[in-house]
């Protein structure tokens, strides 16, 4: 066994005695007979072999035995600061981690942190992803990870912009399918309860219909289509039927009686209707909403 390996075993034994971690002062005190150069070589070897992990507490580097069940994918050819940041970003998974949280965990000053992040980005080890929840902020994650839907917004967002028209088209097509199903059920000649049952369709049925239409340039899964079906329900044009198995079926419902004129006209939902009078700044004659509605 070479000398560096023997020093490594001494460092491991010391780390076992102090599970909270050891610093350079602990190593210098326990390995007084070991030259600093050899101590550094042994430390780097243990870090590269993922026996130890490196953390930062204040301005002090801490070395701790790595949990055998927690394997890091950090490359061996990165320096200690890059390794610290890489491991922090790795813990964020596909939901990423804000730069503020990285700074708190690493205790690096902002200028140095930005430098290390840039180095890791240039090496294509991590990437910055904009979040739909905060467009001016970025989260960092490992380069090869696909961001979680909570970050990208899923199928309904393109470059952080909500695709309202796309959602409307899907809403209309889902409703069309439900109504077609209802019309077929009505033509079956069955009784009312049987017609209701025949009108029901699963999310898988709707997904198949939308896929066959080919109106989406991106791949939509059943969860995406269920989200759209819920909007049809919220519009009052369909209902959701719970199943014993725990799932749901959907069916179109008859459009209720048309709303009376007062509800349809702007006055029915006007927030300043209480201030409306024959004279003054708010009057029916000056109301642009009524003019537009009448046109």
């Amino acid at each position: 066994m070479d000398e560096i390996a023997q020093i490594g075993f001494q460092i491991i034994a010391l780390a076992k005695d102090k599970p909270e971690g050891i610093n350079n002062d602990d190593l210098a005190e326990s390995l007084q007979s070991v030259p600093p150069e050899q101590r550094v070589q042994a430390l780097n070897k243990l870090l590269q072999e993922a026996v130890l992990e490196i953390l930062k507490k204040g301005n002090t580097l801490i070395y701790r035995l790595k949990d055998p069940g927690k394997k890091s994918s950090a490359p061996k050819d990165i320096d200690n600061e890059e390794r610290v940041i890489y491991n922090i970003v790795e813990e964020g998974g596909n939901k990423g981690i804000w730069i503020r949280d990285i700074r708190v965990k690493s205790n690096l000053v902002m200028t140095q942190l930005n430098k290390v992040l840039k180095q890791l980005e240039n090496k294509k080890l991590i990437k910055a992803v904009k979040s739909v929840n905060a467009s001016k902020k970025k989260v960092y994650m490992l380069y090869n990870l696909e961001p979680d839907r909570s970050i990208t917004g899923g199928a309904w967002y393109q470059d952080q912009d909500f695709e309202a028209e796309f959602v409307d088209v899907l809403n209309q097509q889902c409703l069309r399918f439900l109504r077609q199903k209802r019309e077929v059920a009505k033509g079956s000649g069955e009784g009312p309860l049987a017609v209701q049952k025949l009108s029901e369709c699963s999310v898988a049925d709707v997904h198949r219909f939308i896929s066959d239409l080919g109106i989406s340039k991106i791949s939509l899964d059943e969860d995406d289509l269920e989200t759209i079906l819920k909007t049809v329900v919220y519009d009052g044009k369909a209902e959701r039927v719970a199943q014993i198995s725990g799932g749901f079926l959907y069916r179109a419902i008859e459009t209720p009686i048309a709303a009376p004129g007062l509800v349809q006209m702007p006055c029915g939902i006007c927030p300043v209707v209480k201030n409306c009078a024959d004279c003054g700044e708010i009057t029916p004659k000056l109301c642009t909403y009524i003019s537009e509605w009448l046109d």
Side-chain angles (χ1 to χ4, degrees), residues 38-56:
Q38 291 184 342
R39 190 169 69 238
V40 170
Q41 288 179 28
L43 265 175
N44 286 335
K45 186 178 180 183
L46 292 173
L47 288 169
Q48 290 174 359
E49 293 174 350
V51 177
L52 293 179
E53 61 181 351
I54 185 171
L55 309 167
K56 202 164 185 183

Side-chain angles (χ1 to χ4, degrees), residues 99 108-121 140:
I99 190 169
L108 288 176
V109 294
M110 208 60 202
T111 52
Q112 183 62 18
L113 175 57
N114 284 326
K115 180 183 175 183
V116 175
L117 286 170
K118 195 66 179 175
Q119 289 170 348
L120 291 172
E121 284 188 85
Y140 288 88

Side-chain angles (χ1 to χ4, degrees), residues 145-166:
L145 291 181
E146 187 69 27
D148 185 82
R149 286 190 175 199
S150 61
I151 301 299
T152 63
W156 320 130
Y157 283 81
Q158 179 69 31
D159 297 328
Q160 283 73 53
D161 292 326
F162 181 65
E163 295 284 343
E165 289 185 12
F166 180 48

Side-chain angles (χ1 to χ4, degrees), residues 30-258:
S30 301
L31 306 173
Q32 294 181 7
S33 60
V34 177
E37 297 81 6
Q38 291 184 342
R39 190 169 69 238
V40 170
Q41 288 179 28
L43 265 175
N44 286 335
K45 186 178 180 183
L46 292 173
L47 288 169
Q48 290 174 359
E49 293 174 350
V51 177
L52 293 179
E53 61 181 351
I54 185 171
L55 309 167
K56 202 164 185 183
K57 190 174 183 181
N59 294 320
T60 305
L61 289 176
I62 302 294
Y63 305 96
R64 190 172 64 189
L65 280 177
K66 197 170 182 64
D67 183 354
K70 181 184 173 185
K71 294 183 179 179
S72 173
S73 58
K76 296 181 179 180
D77 59 346
I78 59 177
D79 62 36
N80 287 339
E81 279 190 344
E82 289 176 339
R83 190 177 300 278
V84 169
I85 301 303
Y86 183 96
N87 289 336
I88 292 172
V89 172
E90 185 178 29
E91 289 175 1
N94 66 345
K95 290 188 176 180
I97 182 168
W98 301 109
I99 190 169
R100 181 188 62 187
D101 296 330
I102 298 175
R103 183 169 60 83
V104 170
K105 289 187 176 184
S106 65
N107 282 301
L108 288 176
V109 294
M110 208 60 202
T111 52
Q112 183 62 18
L113 175 57
N114 284 326
K115 180 183 175 183
V116 175
L117 286 170
K118 195 66 179 175
Q119 289 170 348
L120 291 172
E121 284 188 85
N122 290 337
K123 293 178 181 179
K124 296 192 182 301
L125 295 175
I126 66 170
K127 62 183 175 184
V129 180
K130 286 184 178 179
S131 171
V132 295
N133 298 318
S135 58
K136 294 183 179 179
K137 293 183 180 180
K138 295 183 292 187
V139 295
Y140 288 88
M141 64 184 66
L142 296 189
Y143 188 81
N144 60 341
L145 291 181
E146 187 69 27
D148 185 82
R149 286 190 175 199
S150 61
I151 301 299
T152 63
W156 320 130
Y157 283 81
Q158 179 69 31
D159 297 328
Q160 283 73 53
D161 292 326
F162 181 65
E163 295 284 343
E165 289 185 12
F166 180 48
V167 172
D168 286 342
V169 169
L170 288 173
N171 177 290
Q172 292 166 16
Q173 293 304 319
C174 287
L175 178 59
R176 181 165 75 93
F177 177 73
L178 295 179
R179 284 176 172 171
Q180 287 176 354
K181 188 88 172 175
R182 185 186 64 193
E183 293 306 313
V184 171
K186 281 183 175 180
S188 66
E190 300 289 340
L193 293 179
V195 167
Q196 275 194 350
K197 194 70 178 173
L198 291 171
S199 299
E200 295 171 355
C201 57
S202 66
V203 177
D205 295 332
V206 179
H207 180 261
R208 196 177 305 112
F209 172 75
I210 296 296
S211 298
D212 291 343
L213 283 179
I215 58 175
S216 175
K217 294 179 181 179
I218 60 174
S219 177
L220 299 174
D221 58 26
E222 291 186 9
D223 288 340
D224 293 327
L225 268 302
E226 183 150 34
T227 301
I228 297 297
L229 285 167
K230 286 179 182 177
T231 67
V232 179
V233 173
Y234 299 150
D235 288 340
K237 297 173 182 177
E239 62 183 353
R240 200 173 182 220
V241 183
Q243 300 299 292
I244 298 176
S245 61
F248 291 91
L249 295 178
Y250 294 83
R251 66 172 171 237
I253 57 177
E254 298 288 349
T255 305
I257 299 172

